[in-house]
Each structure stands twice: as C-alpha cells, then as structure tokens.
Amino acid sequence: MSTDTADALREQVRARYAEAARAVEGGSPGCCGAPFYSLVEREELPGAAALASLGCGNPTAVAELREGEVVLDLGSGGGIDVILSAKRVGPTGVAYGVDMTDEMLALAQRNAREAGIANAHFLKGEIENVPLPAESVDVVISNCVINLSTDKPAVLTELARVLRPGGRLGVSDIVAEDQLTPAERAERGSWCGCVAGALSRGEYVAGLEAAGFDDVSVEFTHEVAEGMHGAIVRGVRAG
Ligand SMILES: C[S@@+](CC[C@H](N)C(=O)[O-])C[C@H]1O[C@@H](n2cnc3c(N)ncnc32)[C@H](O)[C@@H]1O
C-alpha cells in the first residue's frame, strides 16, 4: 500500500470513529459490541461506555487479568475494555488505553470518571507507535482495531516491544479464512467497517511469530461475512 493510500485510509478511520463518538455523546448506540458483554459487566459500566462499544468480542474475558497487572488496550474507543480491565486489576494495577481519535479519548475519559475509576489512563497515540516504554505491560488487549491498521507488521512489533517477556496477548479481531485474497476480503465489507483490512488466520500467526510471540492461536468465534470471522487471538511474548 502506498503512503498516500495509507494516510487517506487512516484519516477515513479517524473521521468515522470521531463521528461514532459524537453519536454516542448524542445518545445513539454503537454498532455491535454490547452483546459480547455479560449483564454483570454491563452493569459495571456507565451508560455511554456500553453504548460506545464498537468491538467484535470481549477481550477482558479471555485475558484472565490478575490483581496488580498493567494492561494496555490498543484502540480503546469509548473505554469499555479499559474500565473493565481497571476493575479487574484493582488499585495496585493500571489499565492504559491508546487511541488516535480525540473525540473517542474525551468520551473514554468521561466514562472512566463516571465509573469512578482512578487507575485507567487514556493516551493519545497510534497503535503503530505506542506511547509507552519497552517491557512495561503485562497484558495487551484490543477489540476490533488491528484490522483497521494500515501497517500491521508495525503493530505486531509494538505489541512485542511493550510487553514484558512472558507477557500475554488477548485480542478480539476480525480474521479471514486463509483462502480469501485481500481483494475477496474487500468485496465483503469496507476498511472502516473492520472487514477489508482483516488479516487471514495464517497471516496473523506468521506475523505474531515473526514479532517474537510463542503459543500463538487464532480461534474463530462467529462468522461476520462469508469466510470472515470474529476471532480471539492469543500469544505469549517470548522470554
Ligand atoms: C472499531 S472501534 C473499537 C473501539 C473499542 N476497542 C471498542 O471495542 O469499543 C476502533 C477504535 O480504534 C481507533 N483506531 C483505529 N485505528 C487506530 C490506529 N491506527 N491507532 C490508534 N487508534 C486507532 C479508532 O479511533 C476507534 O476508537
């Protein structure tokens, strides 16, 4: 992909999610995330955080967070997974969210305040260049964001950089079956709609292994278009 195409796509993504954040501020629901959260989890969230859920899974449920851990959510949107993570890791732990869209950061900060959460921090940045030091994070989560990146190798390298050796990855994302070409993925949905930019299962596994992850797995959970799935992606940062 040329630099111009990548820059244009990134701007489309930013505009699309700025609009989604404004819609939530105006009381409209997000697209697809809330059904993935249990009733108990939804009761832990302020109304706008649940409304702002734009994910394709529930990464905090798969990450098995422990008290005192440092968690990073890539593309934190309205903050739902950061707020849930902050509760799971407790006052001795920290949950960070990184997002490039100002409107989403403002919404997430408001949601964390309303939830009374002090150990959630939202940082402006791009997931290809995470504003945190190397080996500073125990667990990376992300919910339907990596498919939106125009530079997946940079994202996977950043995951490995920020995680401590032995640190875990628990990501929800849209993933294609291996036989689908990039053109066939694009026929099934848009880039901003989380479909066209999806990696295939084989590409995800190879990319994570090349970045320095062991025990990589990609588990399909639900089909979103022919040959395209919501999936749970796991891995452990090699020691
Ligand atoms: C589909 S929404 C998901 C939001 C949230 N994870 C959730 O589950 O509700 C995608 C989010 O990722 C952010 N995003 C997309 N590409 C990004 C990038 N390259 N760097 C940082 N944030 C990005 C968008 O601003 C948006 O808030």
Side-chain angles (χ1 to χ4, degrees):
M1 181 184 302
S2 73
T3 312
D4 282 356
T5 308
D7 289 349
L9 267 178
R10 187 179 302 244
E11 273 320 300
Q12 280 175 28
V13 169
R14 195 192 309 270
R16 156 84 180 256
Y17 290 101
E19 183 52 42
R22 282 192 292 269
V24 170
E25 296 278 9
S28 304
C31 67
C32 53
F36 298 107
Y37 297 90
S38 69
L39 190 57
V40 174
E41 287 169 320
R42 274 181 272 158
E43 280 173 358
E44 291 181 62
L45 296 162
L51 276 178
S53 171
L54 297 168
C56 50
N58 181 351
T60 54
V62 298
E64 292 166 23
L65 302 179
R66 300 175 203 126
E67 196 115 333
E69 287 190 317
V70 177
V71 183
L72 166 65
D73 180 18
L74 296 181
S76 42
I80 182 167
D81 294 311
V82 178
I83 293 170
L84 291 172
S85 298
K87 291 191 174 201
R88 301 285 175 277
V89 300
T92 57
V94 183
Y96 293 101
V98 169
D99 205 289
M100 67 179 182
T101 304
D102 289 324
E103 290 82 350
M104 278 296 184
L105 289 164
L107 179 63
Q109 271 148 0
R110 194 190 95 193
N111 284 331
R113 258 197 321 277
E114 281 179 13
I117 300 290
N119 59 333
H121 304 286
F122 295 95
L123 311 173
K124 180 163 180 171
E126 293 179 347
I127 64 174
E128 297 81 1
N129 187 14
V130 174
L132 283 175
E135 302 191 359
S136 60
V137 172
D138 297 304
V139 183
V140 173
I141 62 170
S142 184
N143 197 348
C144 221
V145 178
I146 294 176
N147 68 78
L148 293 169
S149 172
T150 52
D151 189 352
K152 269 89 167 172
V155 177
L156 304 186
T157 302
E158 278 298 83
L159 295 179
R161 183 186 69 79
V162 296
L163 274 171
R164 298 197 169 101
R168 299 151 3 244
L169 180 69
V171 162
S172 296
D173 205 2
I174 302 299
V175 179
E177 292 176 16
D178 286 331
Q179 75 277 7
L180 290 188
T181 64
E184 288 168 333
R185 298 172 213 174
E187 284 165 9
R188 285 159 173 73
S190 69
W191 192 284
C192 291
C194 298
V195 174
L199 293 171
S200 71
R201 190 205 302 250
E203 289 164 352
Y204 234 127
V205 171
L208 284 170
E209 287 176 349
F213 283 87
D214 292 334
D215 301 330
V216 175
S217 66
V218 177
E219 180 192 337
F220 291 158
T221 54
H222 57 286
E223 196 167 44
V224 297
E226 194 194 339
M228 313 275 306
H229 302 262
I232 297 168
V233 181
R234 291 186 176 88
V236 178
R237 209 293 219 154

